Amino acid sequence: MPKQGIIKTILARHKKDKSRLIEIVRDVQSALGWVPPAAVAEIAEALNVSKVDVEGVATFYHFFSGAPAGRYAVYLNDNFVAGMKGRAEIAAAFEKEAKCRFGETTADGLIGLHATSCIGMNDQEPSAIINGVVFTKLTKAKVKQIVAAMKAGRDMARLVTTCGDGANQSKLVRAMVTNNIRKKGPVILAPFKPGEAIRRAVTWTPEDVIAEIKRSNLLGRGGAGFPTGLKWDFCVQSQADRHYVVCNADEGEPGTFKDRVILTEQAHLLFEGMAVAGYAVGAKEGILYLRAEYAYLKNHLEHVLEALRKKAIIGRNAGGKKGFIFDIEIKMGAGAYICGEESALLESAEGKRGEPRDRPPFPVTYGYLGYPTTVNNIETLCAAARILAKGAGWFKTLGTAKSAGTKLLSVSGDCRKPGVYEVEFGLSLQKLLEMVGGRDAQAVQVGGPSGTCVSRGQFERRIGFEDLPTGGSIIVIGPHRDMFDVVHNFMDFFIEESCGWCAPCRVGNSLLKRKLEKIMSGKGTIRDLSDLESWGRIIKTMSRCGLGQTSPNPILTTLQNFRHLYESKVRHDTDFVTEFDLKAAVHAASGVTGQKLTEAHHE
Amino acid sequence: MSKPIIATASLAGCFGCHMSVLDIDDRILTLIDLVEFHKSPIDDIKTFSKICDVGLIEGGCCNSENVETLREFRKNCKVLVSVGECAIMGGLPAMRNGIPVKDCLEEAYLHCPTVDPADRMIPNDPELPIILDKVYPCHEVVKIDAFLPGCPPSAELIWKALVALVEGKPLDLTYDLVKFD
Ligand SMILES: Cc1cc2nc3c(=O)[nH]c(=O)nc-3n(C[C@H](O)[C@H](O)[C@H](O)COP(=O)(O)O)c2cc1C
């Protein structure tokens, strides 16, 4: 059987290293189109781990499958904004052309249709990834072409005839993705001359570099807003013979895509930020954990790394400092929002299922492979590089007292100018809506599903850590949208992405969604609203990681800011409505046994 | 004032919650002074003949008879309480909820190695209750007023809840009563 040969080759390629399990499984998936049980067994034996360990990885990630995913595997984004931009029509077109339904693969194994969570293309929906190639702004006509090309056995990359702007056109990318940079600011998107930051940093002591970052008041841009200087300080303080810098490029929060644009256009700034962090915390190695959805950027990023090595910005004698070594490796994810959570990311980078760890210990003391590690967002590291180049004092003149600097916003939804905006902190939603052409919005989802849904009456609220913190996802919701559809889509997302480890998150979110559906169908009561509130609070307080702790937010923040919508949906004449239907509930069993309901059963 | 009246039932449960009621030890004597038991396996009264103040339900609904009993309790009890994991969440019996009922019946009565080969059949007597497609928690079938968590809820928790209900006072749940690990 040729299969055995393939798996042996793959295992050899990765030196039977179990920390490379994800890479091994990925190679099997792309060679065979799925991960068959026989492959699981063979990998387990070769790596000397249990079958369950391999199966655990092979079933955890979106882009691995336990059944043939199709020689052409279509992953169609299913977030709410895709829906706004006509996803349903596109999905129907795929089903019609491929003659197969979503969640299935054609009988001949040629085409598989799959839904997937946000792929970071909200500004150019509907979009899909097919065999690693990103297709944006899909139309019915394009779907027809794509499926015809599949049937003709063509390479998907050949269908990219027009590339997007900037580095999307480079030979190494060749993607139809566009950057949609609408507003450049001075920190992230301004020109940056390689070396400006690291050459300066290495003339200082690591302590002084950390002190400068502390002075700048830079707060983490990944969502939690932890002070970056303090994080680096904690990391350095942890005694160990190795330290790591990890850049979080998982960008999975629905609606955010600004990291994609940084990776495309400003990767040199990011890598230099990683080098600065490496110098500060005493790390020799950095890891870029790149989400699988952005695999199309990998060759480009490798190329940028190579160029920086040649300029001695990273690598040996980095920044021109004799003896300072800092290099960067790219590790790929495999499709899982939870892997953006820093401890889940580390597990995944180590080749395991991306399940969050118990914290403490935090990554700064127990991180990658157990060594002290600073995990930072892409934008944070870029800002750190710029601070080294231009000074903490300069940085602090931007933004507000508690939120220094600028923020990249990924704007999508019902607005005329979706794309990336670098704005100073302190900008009001009203001003932002004017800028993006979304004045008539009824709501703005700030920070993605895990953030806050702000209603029209509160548009004077401001982006910043004092009021509306955000990782950067801004979804504009026009007046004609049904807010319940928005909330429902977001709950679907959390249910899909929960790692399943804690019951409140795994079970609770499904219960919340069912309750929401009850209310949407007109069978809810005031009591159901208070159940939503109290169950939501339980999930928030009883879950282990940030996913569960924020997953009820779509419901809780709309209950708060759009209470009238809920109140107009529920019945006020009774405090209990059951959805239970005895006749329907006995239907299956009476079909098997032939028993019938008697009169007594009909109340 | 006459004594408050209590009714109890075990639906798709294991009687563990009822055993936990008995676990209040000699306080059962105090309880009997405080309340009157009506329809309940404890005194074997089979039918409701008066309206009760409190109904305690153990177990969820796995068949048509459970539903009937639960509805009867709702009609005849002023306050209805889900007692224990199975009543609240379906519990262990709900482990079948992911499996089609046909497969469950076939596994249990046709394919299971302990079935007598001479006697393979799925019970179908019209007198038998009909199995539901899945196990339902009580509050999805009727309105439930209060929930006592645990598997089983401790005797102490049941005692405190009953006293609070009978005396009409708020229930003071200390952390140790609802901490399960
Ligand atoms: C479910 C979940 C998903 C997350 N996704 C991301 C992400 O995609 N990118 C990111 O930088 N941080 C993400 N975070 C936050 C990280 O855990 C971590 O706080 C961040 O990477 C730290 O970097 P910073 O200090 O530079 O912000 C996520 C957190 C949670 C709970």
Side-chain angles (χ1 to χ4, degrees):
Chain A
M1 226 163 78
K3 198 166 73 193
Q4 263 155 355
I6 291 177
I7 291 166
K8 277 214 171 54
T9 319
I10 292 170
L11 283 162
R13 186 183 308 151
H14 297 287
K15 304 193 175 67
K16 299 190 182 175
D17 175 356
K18 68 178 173 198
S19 77
R20 299 187 64 81
L21 179 54
I22 291 182
E23 284 87 340
I24 294 169
V25 173
R26 174 178 312 102
D27 286 357
V28 171
Q29 173 80 37
S30 63
L32 306 177
W34 64 306
V35 189
V40 168
E42 195 176 338
I43 296 169
E45 181 158 340
L47 302 187
N48 197 20
V49 297
S50 74
K51 269 200 276 190
V52 170
D53 288 326
V54 181
E55 220 169 66
V57 164
T59 54
F60 188 83
Y61 298 93
H62 291 310
F63 297 111
F64 298 158
S65 51
R71 285 199 291 290
Y72 293 98
V74 177
Y75 291 91
L76 184 64
N77 183 5
D78 73 353
N79 82 20
F80 190 74
V81 173
M84 287 174 163
K85 306 292 171 188
R87 180 193 190 274
E89 262 198 341
I90 299 305
F94 268 116
E95 291 189 333
K96 178 166 164 252
E97 298 299 328
K99 298 198 177 54
C100 132
R101 303 193 57 83
F102 267 84
E104 293 171 3
T105 301
T106 52
D108 59 2
L110 184 70
I111 303 172
L113 300 180
H114 314 275
T116 195
S117 300
C118 189
I119 62 172
M121 301 289 159
N122 253 20
D123 52 340
Q124 39 211 304
E125 290 295 335
S127 66
I129 300 177
I130 308 175
N131 293 9
V133 179
V134 179
F135 289 84
T136 60
K137 295 203 165 174
L138 286 165
T139 59
K140 282 199 276 188
K142 282 193 202 166
V143 170
K144 214 169 173 160
Q145 262 177 16
I146 292 169
V147 176
M150 292 172 177
K151 289 180 179 162
R154 290 180 59 198
D155 180 356
M156 285 295 110
R158 309 277 303 259
L159 297 189
V160 181
T161 45
T162 333
C163 295
D165 52 340
N168 290 301
Q169 299 176 355
S170 100
K171 269 207 313 284
L172 295 168
V173 182
R174 287 201 43 77
M176 61 175 77
V177 178
T178 50
N179 290 324
N180 291 327
I181 298 173
R182 303 279 183 175
K183 184 172 166 29
K184 289 189 180 184
V187 179
I188 308 295
L189 296 177
F192 179 80
K193 224 170 75 237
E196 264 184 287
I198 188 66
R199 291 204 183 111
R200 183 130 185 254
V202 296
T203 62
W204 299 358
T205 64
E207 296 75 49
D208 286 344
V209 171
I210 291 178
E212 183 74 357
I213 298 294
K214 280 188 180 168
R215 222 176 2 257
S216 75
N217 290 338
L218 173 62
L219 302 178
R221 304 308 198 220
F226 193 84
T228 307
L230 193 61
K231 191 183 276 189
W232 292 6
D233 203 3
F234 284 150
C235 186
V236 150
Q237 303 295 332
S238 303
Q239 300 286 331
D241 46 352
R242 262 197 256 171
H243 290 72
Y244 282 96
V245 171
V246 170
C247 172
N248 188 340
D250 197 55
E251 186 160 65
E253 187 74 38
T256 163
F257 45 83
K258 48 103 183 166
D259 289 344
R260 175 197 90 212
V261 173
I262 297 180
L263 291 167
T264 310
E265 300 301 335
Q266 295 287 73
H268 57 293
L269 174 62
L270 162 65
F271 292 141
E272 196 154 334
M274 289 178 74
V276 169
Y279 180 71
V281 306
K284 288 196 177 68
E285 291 167 71
I287 292 169
L288 178 77
Y289 182 89
L290 184 64
R291 68 185 312 218
E293 290 81 349
Y294 295 166
Y296 74 97
L297 292 170
K298 182 157 186 266
N299 289 341
H300 163 67
L301 294 169
E302 295 285 10
H303 178 75
V304 174
L305 284 174
E306 201 43 49
L308 293 177
R309 278 183 203 112
K310 286 205 181 110
K311 290 191 183 132
I313 284 165
I314 61 167
R316 281 181 182 286
N317 305 326
K321 177 143 179 129
K322 252 204 154 66
F324 172 49
I325 299 177
F326 181 79
D327 213 329
I328 296 170
E329 183 195 356
I330 300 176
K331 283 218 167 221
M332 297 299 302
Y337 167 62
I338 188 65
C339 289
E341 194 282 334
E342 56 185 13
S343 66
L345 181 153
L346 293 170
E347 288 288 296
S348 177
E350 290 177 10
K352 295 180 261 179
R353 283 166 73 86
E355 285 175 356
R357 297 174 177 170
D358 282 329
R359 300 178 311 163
F362 291 93
V364 284
T365 52
Y366 189 90
Y368 183 62
L369 302 174
Y371 295 102
T373 302
T374 172
V375 181
N376 287 110
N377 175 256
I378 292 183
E379 193 181 341
T380 313
L381 290 161
C382 289
R386 188 74 74 179
I387 289 164
L388 260 292
K390 303 197 74 169
W394 168 82
F395 186 74
K396 277 199 289 192
T397 62
L398 303 163
T400 67
K402 288 208 176 109
S403 313
T406 62
K407 184 77 198 81
L408 283 196
L409 301 177
S410 317
V411 181
S412 67
D414 294 314
C415 60
R416 273 182 289 110
K417 290 178 271 182
V420 172
Y421 295 75
E422 182 175 355
V423 302
E424 285 189 43
F425 277 112
L427 185 75
S428 73
L429 290 183
Q430 187 58 47
K431 286 251 164 61
L432 178 66
L433 285 171
E434 283 161 21
M435 209 186 285
V436 306
R439 259 173 218 268
D440 59 350
Q442 65 165 320
V444 180
Q445 185 73 28
V446 180
S450 70
T452 306
C453 190
V454 183
S455 60
R456 201 174 168 80
Q458 309 170 304
F459 286 171
E460 79 292 347
R461 294 184 65 182
R462 289 165 192 277
I463 304 287
F465 294 97
E466 9 341 38
D467 185 3
L468 286 172
T470 168
S473 169
I474 301 280
I475 298 174
V476 181
I477 301 167
H480 51 300
R481 304 290 174 192
D482 183 342
M483 291 305 295
F484 286 101
D485 290 342
V486 180
V487 177
H488 190 265
N489 176 280
F490 289 170
M491 292 314 293
D492 266 341
F493 168 74
F494 286 121
I495 290 167
E496 175 63 30
E497 298 299 332
S498 168
C499 82
W501 199 92
C502 355
C505 173
R506 183 185 67 240
V507 180
N509 285 315
S510 292
L511 292 178
L512 284 186
K513 190 180 100 171
R514 270 190 17 215
K515 194 64 105 177
L516 183 74
E517 285 167 351
K518 184 179 178 193
I519 292 164
M520 288 169 76
S521 72
K523 293 196 184 119
T525 64
I526 289 287
R527 227 174 107 115
D528 290 314
L529 299 188
S530 57
D531 281 350
L532 281 180
E533 262 155 357
S534 65
W535 297 359
R537 266 197 308 277
I538 292 172
I539 297 168
K540 278 176 86 87
T541 50
M542 305 293 280
S543 295
R544 178 160 78 149
C545 85
L547 192 153
Q549 288 159 11
T550 57
S551 57
N553 283 357
I555 287 179
L556 295 180
T557 66
T558 49
L559 265 173
Q560 196 173 17
N561 298 333
F562 294 84
R563 181 101 200 160
H564 60 284
L565 294 181
Y566 285 89
E567 297 209 332
S568 67
K569 270 268 197 262
V570 299
R571 285 176 57 176
H572 294 269
D573 55 332
T574 168
D575 65 349
F576 182 80
V577 179
T578 179
E579 288 185 298
F580 178 76
D581 175 353
L582 181 58
K583 248 192 180 152
V586 299
H587 182 78
S590 32
V592 179
T593 65
Q595 292 166 285
K596 296 266 175 303
L597 279 184
T598 59
E599 277 311 300
H601 292 116
H602 297 288
E603 270 142 296
Chain B
M1 195 189 94
S2 58
K3 285 202 245 179
I5 308 167
I6 293 183
T8 78
S10 179
L11 309 178
C14 68
F15 268 94
C17 297
H18 276 80
M19 297 306 288
S20 207
V21 175
L22 300 182
D23 249 0
I24 59 178
D25 298 330
D26 57 345
R27 280 174 297 181
I28 193 121
L29 300 176
T30 322
L31 188 62
I32 282 169
D33 277 342
L34 281 173
V35 304
E36 172 191 336
F37 275 96
H38 188 49
K39 178 176 157 82
S40 167
I42 292 175
D43 54 19
D44 219 17
I45 297 177
K46 303 272 197 232
T47 48
F48 280 109
S49 59
K50 52 185 158 192
I51 295 295
C52 300
D53 296 287
V54 180
L56 302 179
I57 304 291
E58 165 186 345
C61 293
C62 81
N63 64 33
S64 55
E65 187 197 31
N66 294 155
V67 174
E68 210 180 322
T69 310
L70 183 60
R71 284 175 174 165
E72 215 191 329
F73 265 71
R74 181 67 276 181
K75 266 188 216 133
N76 290 288
C77 301
K78 291 182 196 153
V79 174
L80 201 55
V81 185
S82 271
V83 181
E85 163 67 16
C86 300
I88 297 174
M89 290 282 196
L92 217 59
M95 285 185 76
R96 76 164 164 95
N97 282 8
I99 304 166
V101 71
K102 182 166 186 280
D103 296 358
C104 287
L105 289 168
E106 288 177 353
E107 176 62 25
Y109 295 107
L110 303 182
H111 309 315
C112 173
T114 54
V115 173
D116 176 0
D119 197 21
R120 281 186 211 279
M121 70 167 294
I122 296 173
N124 60 2
D125 192 300
E127 289 294 311
L128 289 173
I130 313 174
I131 298 284
L132 306 183
D133 57 343
K134 58 180 184 177
V135 177
Y136 292 80
C138 294
H139 63 268
E140 287 186 10
V141 178
V142 300
K143 181 185 162 197
I144 297 289
D145 303 296
F147 302 84
L148 289 181
C151 181
S154 66
E156 196 61 26
L157 177 59
I158 296 174
W159 169 253
K160 285 202 167 174
L162 280 179
V163 171
L165 275 172
V166 166
E167 294 182 347
K169 288 187 184 150
L171 177 55
D172 172 30
L173 279 181
T174 52
Y175 182 61
D176 55 307
L177 283 183
V178 286
K179 179 179 178 293
F180 300 106
D181 58 355

